[in-house]
Amino acid sequence: MEDTEQIRTLSVDIGGSGVKVIVLDITGNPLTQRSRLETPQPAKPLSVISAIATLASTQGEFDRVSVGFPGVVRNGVTQTAVNLDPDWIGFDLAGVLSERLGKPVRVVNDADMQGLGAIQGKGVEMVITLGTGFGSALFVDGRLVPNLEMGHHPFRKGETYEQQLGRVALEKVGNDKWNRRLLKAIATLQHLFNYDYLYIGGGEATRIKIKLPTNVKIIPNITGLLGGIALWRD
């Protein structure tokens, strides 16, 4: 029987601009250096899987694979992919990647995986990710409410959270205005979900310059990879 203490998990974070991997031990501690490639353009399934395979080959041995994907995921099948390519709709990412790497694969929404790496597991905890798009995840006493796609809900001025706070908006309106919008979004989400804690991650979280409420915390970008271990807690 395999010694469970020695199980190594390849954790993969697929983003609109970059694909990142790292190998974790059973407790979620990194065993390798994080490795990254630009997301292939167009970001079609087989191109992204090739990028993952290339990155995986630099990471040494691993026994299983966890993937965070920017869209709705059901049973390893990707249902939406607004910031990648329409070919992802209905694509069996877990199955195809498992065949390519020869290891069992589990896939969840990327904000869900980020949240699994960040939460304390008490009360209502929310995670939002600010990157190419706007990701979101909700947890109640550590249990995930899957596929909460807040990013595509109306936020203000007839636009969604993603249209107002995604990377395109940030580049268009500049840092100050984007930060003011973010403060409004935080207030709106607090009224809607009455969360105990909100965690903010993603590549653009470094651009936050506003004073945040005491129950809001910025989490490092690597959290999205560290959450990979939680997918295997049955």
Side-chain angles (χ1 to χ4, degrees):
M1 188 178 133
E2 189 177 16
D3 180 0
T4 54
E5 295 300 309
Q6 303 303 319
I7 290 177
R8 296 161 69 99
T9 304
L10 179 76
S11 191
V12 181
D13 183 10
I14 300 171
S17 60
V19 179
K20 299 163 285 274
V21 304
I22 201 167
V23 172
L24 307 172
D25 70 12
I26 197 74
T27 59
N29 289 314
L31 294 169
T32 59
Q33 290 291 318
R34 188 190 84 143
S35 197
R36 181 186 188 276
L37 281 174
E38 294 290 310
T39 303
Q41 299 302 333
K44 291 187 177 289
L46 296 182
S47 308
V48 172
I49 282 172
S50 287
I52 295 169
T54 300
L55 289 166
S57 68
T58 69
Q59 294 286 308
E61 289 295 310
F62 56 89
D63 305 290
R64 60 193 188 181
V65 185
S66 298
V67 183
F69 179 84
V72 173
V73 180
R74 281 200 192 88
N75 303 318
V77 177
T78 54
Q79 309 276 339
T80 67
V82 175
N83 293 307
L84 293 177
D85 188 271
D87 284 5
W88 285 98
I89 296 167
F91 183 78
D92 181 9
L93 176 54
V96 176
L97 186 59
S98 177
E99 205 166 288
R100 178 75 182 260
L101 297 178
K103 306 287 179 189
V105 175
R106 291 186 180 178
V107 184
V108 292
N109 171 271
D110 59 348
D112 292 353
M113 194 150 111
Q114 187 111 355
L116 289 165
I119 59 166
Q120 300 165 55
K122 293 178 193 154
V124 178
E125 295 177 281
M126 188 167 195
V127 180
I128 59 172
T129 58
L130 304 168
T132 307
F134 179 101
S136 56
L138 188 67
F139 299 84
V140 182
D141 292 330
R143 290 182 71 89
L144 172 67
V145 180
N147 296 319
L148 176 82
E149 287 282 88
M150 272 306 297
H152 307 299
H153 278 247
F155 168 39
R156 56 191 290 272
K157 301 199 169 170
E159 290 193 328
T160 64
Y161 287 89
E162 186 156 305
Q163 287 168 323
Q164 287 263 305
L165 289 163
R167 188 168 291 135
V168 170
L170 170 58
E171 287 166 1
K172 186 177 161 192
V173 303
N175 221 40
D176 291 351
K177 196 168 183 182
W178 181 83
N179 269 274
R180 289 198 295 276
R181 285 180 180 179
L182 179 60
L183 207 51
K184 288 190 176 106
I186 290 168
T188 305
L189 295 171
Q190 173 74 69
H191 287 308
L192 184 58
F193 293 102
N194 297 295
Y195 52 71
D196 297 299
Y197 268 94
L198 173 68
Y199 306 91
I200 305 179
E204 302 301 353
T206 55
R207 305 285 288 270
I208 298 172
K209 302 291 180 244
I210 44 178
K211 183 169 167 34
L212 296 168
T214 51
N215 65 340
V216 179
K217 180 183 166 192
I218 296 173
I219 51 176
N221 210 10
I222 198 166
T223 314
L225 290 167
L226 300 183
I229 208 75
L231 304 198
W232 297 89
R233 288 185 201 132
D234 284 323

